[in-house]
Amino acid sequence: MIDYFSISSEGLQKNTQDPNWLSVSNPTDAEKEQLEKEHHLPKNFFTFGQHYSNVSFFKKYQAEDKKPLCLMLFIDIQSINEPESLSSTVTVFLTPDILITMSEKSLIDQVLDTFKSEIFTKAGLILHTLQVINEHYLVFLKEQRETIEEISHGTTRGSNRNILEKATYTEKNLVYIDNLLKEQRKTVNQLLKSKLVYTDRDLAIELELQTKQATTSVQIYREMLSSISGLIDSMMDNRLNQLMKFLNTASLLLALPTLIFSLWGFNTGGLLWRDSEIGSAMVVLVALIVSIISGIYLFRKDYNA
């Protein structure tokens, strides 16, 4: 599908007669062939997003006719819950005459719904598209912050399997988004340093701050999650130490009666209550008293002192 627009000082309007922006989404083979023939698009232009889904890119070069061209790839996330499996690439081809964007239609619709009245240049459209993409990242990061707060509250009630699974999943998402943002920030910086956006400097500054906010936020959240994960590990180690203390104490308490019974099982003379009718009961009573006293001592002992 191809939507035709005209971008000028009068704003953005649909225009099929003399367009300077072509918005392409899910094109047919015939549409691909038509665009490649009419605008001399780079080879594999329509498959860049499929082959390099996690790569952001900015390249200026000249065609054979000396016409300056610019090729850009930006990474958008379509799902807050599954950013890795549902990320998409926005491919941009820019010449002095035409702007061609290859992206999900939902992204372009969102750009037009939000910024249509503010778009007067092709560079402005690119910058506003990046603003919407950054908003997707910021919304995702806000969700991750709430998840981190849930994990933090969960650790106060003791670590469990659900908390550990949530922490692991959140860490995986943050690592993925962190690398995407680092990659994309390089491309955004190259774009902002170029002459393409010199007429939209205020918007460029706002975009730079927005991009920096996203990259800074993901670093902060990763450090927060790392500290919480360290706390969870410490709690698990402490629980394991307490369990080992209990098991060692229990094994020692079981060993004392066994020792006493073994001593009274010697087939030699001189043992107390050997010939008594209540001798067996007395041995059991002694073993019980020794075990109780030892248990009280062991459980009251402060092993941290």
Side-chain angles (χ1 to χ4, degrees):
M1 178 178 179
I2 305 176
D3 291 321
Y4 299 87
F5 297 90
S6 175
I7 303 175
S8 66
S9 58
E10 298 178 358
L12 187 150
Q13 298 175 346
K14 280 208 167 186
N15 186 342
T16 57
Q17 300 300 321
D18 188 25
N20 59 0
W21 171 35
L22 308 183
S23 176
V24 183
S25 59
N26 298 320
T28 63
D29 292 338
E31 289 174 333
K32 292 178 183 179
E33 185 177 352
Q34 173 192 346
L35 291 173
E36 289 174 349
K37 183 178 180 180
E38 292 179 357
H39 302 287
H40 306 288
L41 294 175
K43 186 179 179 181
N44 300 325
F45 175 81
F46 296 103
T47 59
F48 280 145
Q50 300 173 5
H51 295 163
Y52 311 103
S53 58
N54 297 327
V55 174
S56 188
F57 180 78
F58 178 88
K59 181 69 175 179
K60 291 181 66 177
Y61 59 98
Q62 285 187 336
E64 294 179 358
D65 58 0
K66 305 298 182 180
K67 181 184 295 186
L69 306 176
C70 187
L71 179 66
M72 291 169 267
L73 271 71
F74 304 110
I75 311 165
D76 185 28
I77 52 174
Q78 300 173 281
S79 170
I80 294 175
N81 298 320
E82 300 180 24
E84 185 173 358
S85 59
L86 292 176
S87 61
S88 64
T89 302
V90 180
T91 310
V92 179
F93 179 71
L94 178 64
T95 74
D97 304 319
I98 194 76
L99 169 66
I100 300 176
T101 60
M102 171 74 180
S103 67
E104 297 290 335
K105 191 174 188 305
S106 58
L107 174 64
I108 298 302
D109 289 342
Q110 187 176 355
V111 173
L112 296 180
D113 290 341
T114 309
F115 299 111
K116 183 176 181 179
S117 61
E118 303 176 27
I119 298 174
F120 301 96
T121 64
K122 294 192 285 291
L125 171 66
I126 296 172
L127 293 176
H128 282 306
T129 302
L130 284 171
Q131 277 191 302
V132 172
I133 291 174
N134 280 343
E135 283 296 331
H136 292 170
Y137 283 103
L138 291 173
V139 169
F140 168 81
L141 291 173
K142 182 180 179 181
E143 293 288 334
Q144 299 309 299
R145 172 60 186 268
E146 294 175 359
T147 302
I148 292 172
E149 292 294 337
E150 293 177 7
I151 295 172
S152 179
H153 291 317
T155 57
T156 61
R157 299 189 296 268
S159 61
N160 55 54
R161 182 175 178 179
N162 291 334
I163 292 296
L164 291 174
E165 289 180 350
K166 187 176 290 187
T168 302
Y169 182 73
T170 304
E171 174 67 18
K172 184 191 75 171
N173 283 341
L174 287 176
V175 168
Y176 179 73
I177 294 300
D178 186 17
N179 284 280
L180 287 190
L181 286 173
K182 286 179 180 178
E183 179 72 16
Q184 188 130 294
R185 187 174 181 181
K186 297 176 184 177
T187 303
V188 171
N189 288 340
Q190 288 179 297
L191 172 62
L192 298 181
K193 290 177 182 178
S194 70
K195 296 180 180 180
L196 296 176
V197 297
Y198 73 95
T199 58
D200 301 271
R201 295 314 303 176
D202 292 340
L203 180 56
I205 291 173
E206 185 177 350
L207 176 64
E208 186 173 9
L209 290 173
Q210 190 185 42
T211 304
K212 189 171 184 180
Q213 180 184 0
T215 54
T216 302
S217 296
V218 74
Q219 290 295 329
I220 293 173
Y221 297 159
R222 284 194 66 183
E223 291 179 8
M224 290 173 59
L225 186 60
S226 178
S227 64
I228 294 174
S229 298
L231 175 62
I232 294 175
D233 291 340
S234 298
M235 293 174 62
M236 293 180 63
D237 290 340
N238 182 64
R239 285 192 170 191
L240 181 60
N241 291 336
Q242 293 295 327
L243 177 61
M244 293 303 298
K245 171 186 172 182
F246 172 80
L247 293 175
N248 289 335
T249 301
S251 63
L252 181 58
L253 293 179
L254 291 174
L256 290 174
T258 302
L259 176 62
I260 292 173
F261 295 148
S262 298
L263 291 175
W264 256 267
F266 289 163
N267 294 321
T268 58
L271 292 175
L272 291 175
W273 312 307
R274 178 184 177 88
D275 300 321
S276 173
E277 294 181 357
I278 59 172
S280 297
M282 294 298 293
V283 173
V284 173
L285 181 61
V286 169
L288 183 61
I289 292 173
V290 171
S291 297
I292 292 174
I293 294 174
S294 300
I296 293 173
Y297 171 76
L298 291 174
F299 282 109
R300 286 187 175 182
K301 182 174 176 59
D302 184 8
Y303 292 93
N304 297 322

